[in-house]
DNA sequence: GAGTGGTCTAGACCACGTT
DNA sequence: ACGTGGTCTAGACCACTCC
């Protein structure tokens, strides 16, 4: 029996081995099914998965081509900060610096994308790795969307860890940037002179409703955000 | 006819609407097929795609559960710098600063992951948006893997644009960081005092062979790397 | 052992988009 | 108009893994 995985692997080999160049047409499903001695459904599944990966481009009547990949994706895995630190073999530490319920003013309403005047929970926390400042977190949580957050004190559980036990989200936005530190960051993160911060900002929504906005600042000289990918090698080729 | 997309959408609605909580078991394929009045294959495709998205977890005999999503991904699209600038409505400018063939010394060999002594093409380029410095690129290309690069002058075509017309890659690594600028970056990017740079480093391989290493430095006060995602809403729900 | 998902088939009809 | 991919079906057999 010819499996769709083996067909995927063979097509990939053909691309990597330059049997088909980017932009080139590969045979249609019917021909491939005859070549491999399997049904068209099996070929279809293989080609469809390669198209989902961005490796092929398919259009009815026009056929299937090797994609010209002009943009290259990098998938960043953003973990809970605790597991990020513990997985690197370091000891995790957590301090809640500030906790306050406030009404959204125009500045914070814009950040979290919630209506002005609605109640927000504002938290500031410091995360440490082996006692060294690792991340300064400044977070707003919409109490309209997540009213139960009002009853959590966040002294022992970080907001990130609490949030993942709650609802899923349906939309998210991440912004990464490099910035000069503000006074609090310089002090709390014990930055050296001229050391910038690496900033991650994240907003999440469930349907149209804003859930949370968070700004995560890391010391620039020690923090690296890394993404590794094996694009094609997920099949067991001999 | 019940489509696999409508089943996907209904299951998603059930999850977002908390009909099924994270970790909870959803009905098996046979039951769902009877409920929806379609074949098991159709249900299978819907559930399998949701599992691929990380929204469901499936195990034979154990059934299908709503996934506990503890880590959240952000997909960064790294485009050719030219289209990145032109898509924002600005005019693209390009200057080749330096071009040199050199043998890999121990430092550069480590960066690109190629054997010491092998020939490398080293390029430094400046990319501008509306005449303002946007990105300083420092790139090494393995002439072992890509010998034809030796014959390209890179005066009019940027290395990024040339490379995508060449081979695909099979493995890549991206590192993002915030750093104080070096002297050249301060001058070429016309940085303000205390302005850090946002640095993207990328290495790519084809099978085990290193292709290229590039370090891209952006002015920290103006550059933002943004990623937006609609996790669940790719179906046409009314 | 038995229940569940994983895959394949042969056929069918349809939607789309190129020609 | 027609060639291509997109989807669905009814059935089958198998692989895994929980009990």
């Amino acid at each position: 029996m010819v499996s769709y995985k083996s067909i995927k692997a063979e097509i990939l080999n053909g691309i990597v081995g330059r049997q088909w160049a980017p932009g080139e047409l590969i045979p249609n499903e019917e021909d491939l099914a005859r070549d491999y001695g399997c049904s068209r459904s099996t070929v279809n599944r293989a080609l469809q998965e390669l198209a989902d990966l961005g490796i092929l481009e398919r259009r009815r009547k026009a056929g299937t081509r090797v994609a010209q990949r002009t943009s290259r994706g990098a998938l960043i895995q953003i973990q809970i900060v605790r597991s990020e630190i513990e997985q690197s073999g370091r000891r995790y530490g957590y301090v809640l610096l500030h906790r306050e319920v406030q009404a959204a003013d125009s500045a914070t309403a814009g950040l979290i994308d919630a209506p002005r005047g609605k109640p927000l929970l504002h938290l500031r926390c410091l995360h440490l790795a082996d006692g060294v400042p690792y991340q300064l977190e400044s977070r707003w949580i919409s109490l309209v969307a997540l009213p139960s957050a009002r009853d959590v004190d966040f002294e022992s559980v970080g907001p990130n860890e609490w949030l993942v036990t709650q609802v899923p989200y349906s939309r998210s936005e991440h912004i990464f940037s490099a910035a000069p530190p503000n006074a609090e960051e310089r002090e709390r993160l014990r930055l050296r002179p001229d050391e910038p911060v690496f900033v991650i900002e994240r907003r999440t929504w469930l349907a149209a409703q804003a859930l949370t906005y968070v700004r995560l600042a890391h010391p620039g000289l020690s923090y690296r955000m890394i993404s590794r990918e094996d694009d094609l090698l997920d099949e067991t080729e001999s």
Side-chain angles (χ1 to χ4, degrees), chain A:
Chain A
M1 192 91 73
V2 180
S3 72
Y4 81 94
K5 287 188 180 174
S6 67
I7 296 177
K8 249 174 98 172
E10 286 207 35
I11 302 281
L12 278 173
N13 281 337
I15 294 171
V16 172
R18 319 218 198 170
Q19 180 176 346
W20 299 296
E24 199 173 330
L25 208 55
I26 75 173
N28 68 28
E29 296 187 348
E30 207 169 351
D31 290 351
L32 286 172
R34 204 176 322 106
D35 291 353
Y36 288 117
C38 67
S39 75
R40 183 166 80 89
S41 329
T42 305
V43 173
N44 177 274
R45 179 161 183 191
L47 298 188
Q48 206 150 50
E49 291 198 357
L50 290 173
D52 284 346
L53 290 173
I55 291 165
L56 296 176
E57 277 173 3
R58 322 192 71 200
R59 283 204 321 279
R60 285 160 154 132
K61 165 79 180 175
T64 300
R65 294 174 181 281
V66 178
Q68 304 260 23
R69 309 220 289 155
T70 63
S71 80
R72 305 178 161 203
L75 183 64
I76 307 298
Q77 285 297 335
I78 297 189
Q79 294 195 311
I80 295 180
V81 59
R82 166 183 223 121
S83 43
E84 191 174 314
I85 289 171
E86 288 177 345
Q87 274 178 24
S88 69
R90 288 174 290 179
R91 184 174 39 83
Y92 174 68
Y94 167 74
V95 184
L96 176 65
L97 304 173
H98 183 80
R99 183 190 191 284
E100 181 188 2
V101 176
Q102 55 186 222
D105 59 24
S106 58
T108 51
L111 289 176
I112 198 177
D113 186 34
R116 244 198 285 185
K118 297 288 183 182
L120 301 179
L121 181 63
H122 182 206
L123 301 165
R124 280 187 296 119
C125 326
L126 184 64
H127 304 269
L128 305 105
D130 279 347
V132 177
Y134 180 81
Q135 179 189 87
L136 186 64
E137 170 175 5
S138 183
R139 181 183 293 271
W140 283 264
I141 296 173
S142 163
L143 290 174
V144 176
L146 296 164
S148 52
R150 201 188 282 264
D151 306 320
V152 183
D153 70 6
F154 294 107
E155 288 287 352
S156 53
V157 178
N160 198 332
E161 286 171 82
W162 179 79
L163 278 164
V164 298
T165 66
Q166 301 299 306
V167 296
Y169 61 94
S170 60
R171 190 153 59 92
S172 67
E173 179 189 86
H174 291 83
I175 302 179
F176 307 92
S177 58
N182 61 33
E184 183 187 20
E185 286 161 353
R186 203 174 348 248
E187 182 204 329
R188 297 285 189 191
L189 294 174
R190 289 193 222 136
L191 300 178
R192 289 193 249 171
D194 287 343
E195 181 172 4
V197 288
F198 186 92
V199 177
I200 302 172
E201 293 168 276
R202 176 168 60 228
R203 298 198 280 176
T204 57
W205 294 262
L206 180 60
Q209 189 171 52
L211 301 176
T212 182
Y213 164 84
V214 64
R215 182 179 195 276
L216 307 168
H218 290 89
L221 290 179
S222 55
Y223 185 76
R224 301 252 167 304
M225 191 167 74
I226 300 179
S227 155
R228 290 193 184 80
E229 282 168 82
D230 291 326
D231 262 27
L232 312 177
L233 309 174
D234 51 352
E235 312 311 331
T236 55
E237 310 168 27
S238 72

